[in-house]
Amino acid sequence: MTKTMNLKNKIFIFWGCMDVLAVLTYCLLSFYKGHIPFYSDVHQFYGNLASLEVKGWDGFYIQVFFVLDILMHLSLFYSSYAFMIKRDVALSFFCCQEFLRIFSLTCSLTFIPYLLNFINDYPWYLGVSFFIFSEIGKVSTFLWCKKSSQAIN
């Protein structure tokens, strides 16, 4: 029982560290470019959308995907806290965040996109394979942790 709880804590800390790394990377890259995180993204997005003159359903779909991406980045603040401190993440929140990850193509293993930058002209299926591997790994370990904690209680 103790080994299972200890492993569960380590898994949650790992995923919390991945979310902290994602938040830090996003904010630091934004600051490095001289931008304000989130605010500059929204401002630039709507400026670009207006200059493209996209209207109708196309504009609506583009805005939906942008909002999903912003929500994904905002959800990382809570999930990093929950994994690192509380170590109890609600299944409904986790499912919503996975939905956001899939639609924004945000990898749970934060370092994978940076590793792929070292490979010149990598095939698209390599990136997709790593993304799928990342999400299957996170979902399966999360479900295992939830199942093991229910078995203990």
Side-chain angles (χ1 to χ4, degrees):
M1 179 166 94
T2 306
K3 287 183 182 181
T4 303
M5 289 304 292
N6 193 17
L7 181 59
K8 175 187 167 192
N9 290 341
K10 288 178 182 177
I11 289 170
F12 277 13
I13 288 172
F14 173 77
W15 290 120
C17 287
M18 288 294 104
D19 289 348
V20 167
L21 182 61
V23 168
L24 285 176
T25 303
Y26 172 74
C27 290
L28 290 175
L29 286 175
S30 189
F31 289 135
Y32 178 74
K33 294 176 186 175
H35 299 161
I36 301 168
F38 300 105
Y39 173 79
S40 295
D41 291 341
V42 171
H43 189 263
Q44 284 181 337
F45 172 78
Y46 282 106
N48 290 336
L49 189 64
S51 69
L52 292 173
E53 298 179 3
V54 179
K55 299 192 186 322
W57 287 105
D58 293 338
F60 173 75
Y61 290 132
I62 291 170
Q63 290 180 61
V64 166
F65 279 102
F66 176 73
V67 169
L68 291 176
D69 185 59
I70 291 292
L71 288 174
M72 173 60 228
H73 282 90
L74 288 172
S75 75
L76 291 173
F77 287 97
Y78 174 74
S79 65
S80 61
Y81 165 77
F83 278 126
M84 298 288 285
I85 306 300
K86 289 176 37 179
R87 296 198 180 109
D88 186 27
V89 178
L91 184 61
S92 58
F93 173 80
F94 182 80
C95 291
C96 287
Q97 190 180 56
E98 278 304 309
F99 169 80
L100 293 171
R101 282 187 184 281
I102 290 168
F103 279 99
S104 64
L105 293 175
T106 305
C107 207
S108 291
L109 292 172
T110 306
F111 56 85
I112 286 178
Y114 302 106
L115 289 177
L116 289 175
N117 282 334
F118 291 111
I119 303 172
N120 291 333
D121 297 325
Y122 65 88
W124 64 269
Y125 55 83
L126 183 62
V128 171
S129 298
F130 280 139
F131 175 75
I132 292 170
F133 169 76
S134 169
E135 298 318 300
I136 288 173
K138 186 170 188 178
V139 169
S140 61
T141 56
F142 179 82
L143 292 176
W144 178 83
C145 288
K146 283 293 194 184
K147 180 182 168 192
S148 67
S149 66
Q150 288 175 353
I152 292 171
N153 293 335

